[in-house]
Amino acid sequence: MPGRLLALGDIHGYPAPLDALVEAAQIGPDDTLVTLGDYVDRGPNSRRVIDRLIALESRCRLVALRGNHDLMFTEALNILDEDSTRFAEFWNEPLLRIWAQCGGFDTIESYGSLEEVPPEHRAFLDRLVNWHETDNLLFMHANYDPLLPMASQPSDLLYWTSLHHSVPDRHHSGKTAIVGHSSQKDGEVLDLGHVICIDTYCYGGGWLTLMDLHSGQLWQADRRGQLRTVPAT
């Protein structure tokens, strides 16, 4: 199965379905895997998820996008580095209050403390990218402005704006957008033709979804790593 282009939805601290999908799809060195962000928060082991993604960098061509949860995690680490007394007054930092409400404490607990986040994990977070583009497809975590090139997209759209609040028109390039972030509570992929969302609500009891962008094949696994039989499209 050479040369596949694969996309993976929001993992949110659940390593079991990540492991299950990598093995089910037999991801190998000829494959390109685009992960759509939100690796951390809400689930029980964000640390192990980052370990798995770092290992994937030597198994395939990994293009790891940055999600809003990964952004908050990184900014929390930056605050800690700049002034540990600021971090000690956690609730006085607006960003940290938001992060806590979005599962940040689950991520901290998986490491023991933020001081214990290893250098290789910080380096991984630093090399996450904001978007990815191929001849026919655009990849970003959340959303986009259809009139702007990807290099000019505002961060509030790339990271934060849900499709539940704003569905964009087709991008001016004519390319189809592959996104996460907007969790589909029914566990099904949202296919609007010009936008495909593969955040299928793994952390909330749905599925983690892996999609082959050439063939349309799907693999899905629940939080425990149990695979779901997905009908062929």
Side-chain angles (χ1 to χ4, degrees):
M1 296 178 287
R4 293 180 301 176
L5 176 61
L6 306 163
L8 182 71
D10 302 34
I11 305 169
H12 276 304
Y14 283 93
L18 172 60
D19 290 343
L21 294 181
V22 167
E23 295 309 316
Q26 299 180 11
I27 295 176
D30 292 327
D31 296 322
T32 297
L33 173 62
V34 183
T35 53
L36 296 175
D38 280 4
Y39 312 118
V40 301
D41 299 347
R42 294 181 168 144
N45 209 324
S46 293
R47 177 174 187 153
R48 188 171 295 172
V49 167
I50 300 295
D51 279 334
R52 297 291 196 269
L53 292 170
I54 291 171
L56 274 172
E57 290 180 311
S58 60
R59 177 168 177 156
C60 64
R61 180 179 179 240
L62 181 69
V63 180
L65 273 58
R66 180 179 291 106
N68 60 307
H69 287 263
D70 316 309
L71 178 66
M72 290 188 286
F73 183 24
T74 299
E75 293 192 7
L77 290 168
N78 291 339
I79 289 172
L80 180 67
D81 290 343
E82 291 167 6
D83 186 350
S84 60
T85 61
R86 278 178 65 199
F87 194 85
E89 299 177 357
F90 191 98
W91 296 107
N92 291 332
E93 292 288 341
L95 172 94
L96 299 181
R97 289 202 304 272
I98 294 171
W99 188 44
Q101 294 164 6
C102 294
F105 283 135
D106 297 312
T107 297
I108 295 173
E109 185 176 352
S110 75
Y111 285 94
S113 70
L114 279 186
E115 290 87 346
E116 296 178 65
V117 176
E120 59 269 26
H121 284 214
R122 287 173 171 252
F124 176 80
L125 292 169
D126 287 343
R127 60 180 177 266
L128 299 178
V129 297
N130 298 329
W131 52 273
H132 180 63
E133 187 170 1
T134 69
D135 290 341
N136 301 308
L137 299 168
L138 303 171
F139 300 84
M140 72 287 299
H141 176 63
N143 212 317
Y144 63 93
D145 184 324
L147 301 178
L148 295 176
M150 293 308 298
S152 301
Q153 293 289 331
S155 59
D156 62 318
L157 286 175
L158 288 177
Y159 299 133
W160 294 98
T161 303
S162 170
L163 295 177
H164 301 309
H165 299 140
S166 176
V167 177
D169 293 332
R170 180 176 291 277
H171 191 261
H172 72 87
S173 66
K175 298 179 181 182
T176 298
I178 311 299
V179 304
H181 185 66
S182 302
S183 57
Q184 302 302 304
K185 302 300 193 290
D186 61 2
E188 303 297 330
V189 169
L190 175 67
D191 187 347
L192 300 176
H194 66 293
V195 180
I196 298 173
C197 178
I198 61 169
D199 178 0
T200 44
Y201 202 41
C202 179
Y203 78 87
W207 308 93
L208 181 61
T209 294
L210 178 69
M211 184 175 190
D212 184 327
L213 278 310
H214 294 154
S215 70
Q217 182 175 358
L218 296 176
W219 298 264
Q220 292 184 314
D222 66 14
R223 292 180 296 185
R224 300 169 297 163
Q226 298 298 306
L227 293 169
R228 176 190 190 188
T229 300
V230 184
T233 59

